Amino acid sequence: MMGGLPGENPYVGYLLVAYGVTGLVVIGNIVYARFGFRATRRRLQQQLDRRAGRPVARS
Amino acid sequence: MWTWFFRLASPPHFYALAGTLSNWLLVPALILVGVGVWGGLVLAPPDYQQGDAFRIIYVHVPSAYLSMMIYVTMALAGAIGLIWRIKLAHAVAASCAPIGASFTFAALVTGAVWGKPMWGTYWEWDPRLTSELILLFLYFGYMGLRGAFENLNQADRASAILAIAGVVNVPIIHFSVIWWASLHQGPTLSKLEAPSISWDMLWPLLTMILAFTLFFLGVLAMRVRGEVLEREVQSRWAQDVLRGATAASIR
């Protein structure tokens, strides 16, 4: 169990930075992978549609 | 015997499998991250020397472990791509690099904020820290090299050679604390006969390591799908997948 109240604990700032940065890396990886995949799929669909002379699908 | 391997290396098969796998890996990974963080921040007792600062271990060690494990995966995938000319292996290697770079960055930052209260400094040109920084530069170099080529085959080959050459840095990182005098503490977990950590502190760490491993595999599956689709856009199956998605978006 963490010792003392957050304000009294001298390590809270360091823990916040460490867990915050790691949390951002974890969330960033999920967001980038998901949106990156969707963006790639949309771009490739539009390429195919343009080549086939179809109206470009919007999402 | 190798049928499963070549079946797995088939892009349409892998594309479908990765789509299913990514969710099946990410959901348990995030649940385990929650359990590990709760165990590390709330249930584990404070260290008798480091107090609560030791709790940084629960994000620092899994990040550092991933940074090295991802690099080895990237180099292995690059080698498989070079030797057997399997395009999917190059797609895996290319997808590993940004994930590995981000966890190497996390390992360096969490190590620095642990170093300040324990060693009195955020950074020291210590063998472990320096070799981990070199690993980050190797990831940047790999991504930069891939970006420098217009031709995908050339990019795959050149970046695979760099990944394979750079893998020599991984054992240097791991053994640096044994080979040289280092500020960084020695091995804790790899001494399997006698880990220097009590079970109360160990189980959240093992949970986080498992969670981060599943997380990496889930994110990798997602990224490889995009990479495969991009590489296979001329093929019939990829166009069928994209047409299916177009029809769904029009509906």
Side-chain angles (χ1 to χ4, degrees):
Chain A
M1 182 78 83
M2 288 257 288
L5 294 169
E8 295 166 353
N9 193 320
Y11 301 120
V12 163
Y14 298 114
L15 287 170
L16 275 176
V17 174
Y19 279 76
V21 168
T22 311
L24 283 177
V25 165
V26 166
I27 293 167
N29 265 298
I30 294 183
V31 170
Y32 192 80
R34 203 164 273 272
F35 283 90
F37 173 68
R38 283 185 192 163
T40 303
R41 204 174 54 181
R42 201 178 313 129
R43 182 167 47 78
L44 296 175
Q45 278 166 7
Q46 288 172 353
Q47 261 180 33
L48 276 184
D49 288 345
R50 241 179 262 123
R51 225 177 288 162
R54 282 195 297 266
V56 174
R58 286 167 190 275
S59 54
Chain B
M1 184 189 160
W2 290 95
T3 324
W4 65 271
F5 181 73
F6 289 107
R7 188 165 151 77
L8 188 69
S10 141
H13 179 74
F14 187 88
Y15 181 86
L17 181 72
T20 313
L21 270 184
S22 63
N23 288 333
W24 281 101
L25 291 165
L26 282 176
V27 171
L30 294 176
I31 292 169
L32 284 175
V33 164
V35 173
V37 167
W38 178 258
L41 286 181
V42 179
L43 301 180
D47 182 73
Y48 83 104
Q49 275 184 325
Q50 301 189 23
D52 285 320
F54 103 94
R55 295 178 199 281
I56 294 174
I57 200 174
Y58 298 112
V59 284
H60 175 67
V61 170
S63 302
Y65 148 76
L66 267 197
S67 70
M68 290 184 280
M69 192 268 270
I70 295 174
Y71 195 90
V72 172
T73 309
M74 188 172 90
L76 271 177
I80 290 171
L82 271 185
I83 296 165
W84 284 293
R85 297 177 186 272
I86 296 174
K87 281 189 277 178
L88 181 66
H90 287 301
V92 170
S95 305
C96 279
I99 313 172
S102 65
F103 280 100
T104 309
F105 172 75
L108 286 167
V109 172
T110 54
V113 292
W114 197 358
K116 181 64 180 168
M118 293 302 117
W119 305 336
T121 179
Y122 286 109
W123 184 262
E124 186 62 49
W125 292 101
D126 170 274
R128 172 60 72 83
L129 277 63
T130 308
S131 50
E132 186 72 14
L133 183 65
I134 290 171
L135 185 69
L136 182 64
F137 293 151
L138 279 169
Y139 278 121
F140 287 158
Y142 178 92
M143 292 188 282
L145 188 62
R146 287 197 67 81
F149 286 94
E150 296 247 334
N151 182 303
L152 191 59
N153 289 330
Q154 285 179 345
D156 283 343
R157 276 201 298 273
S159 59
I161 291 167
L162 176 65
I164 294 165
V167 85
V168 72
N169 189 45
V170 174
I172 292 176
I173 297 172
H174 183 73
F175 291 109
S176 56
V177 290
I178 298 168
W179 291 342
W180 297 291
S182 174
L183 257 183
H184 196 283
Q185 69 180 66
T188 303
L189 291 178
S190 51
K191 291 188 295 178
L192 287 176
E193 70 283 1
S196 332
I197 183 168
S198 95
W199 177 249
D200 291 344
M201 295 169 166
L202 182 60
W203 76 261
L205 183 57
L206 295 177
T207 307
M208 288 295 272
I209 290 173
L210 175 64
F212 273 46
T213 307
L214 294 177
F215 177 82
F216 159 62
L217 294 173
V219 170
L220 180 67
M222 249 195 275
R223 291 191 79 114
V224 176
R225 285 185 96 206
E227 188 76 29
V228 165
L229 210 52
E230 182 124 33
R231 286 163 182 256
E232 295 284 312
V233 72
Q234 301 300 336
S235 66
R236 180 79 181 266
W237 74 267
Q239 294 187 1
D240 287 346
V241 165
L242 290 168
R243 281 200 198 96
T246 308
S249 70
I250 289 168
R251 250 183 271 135

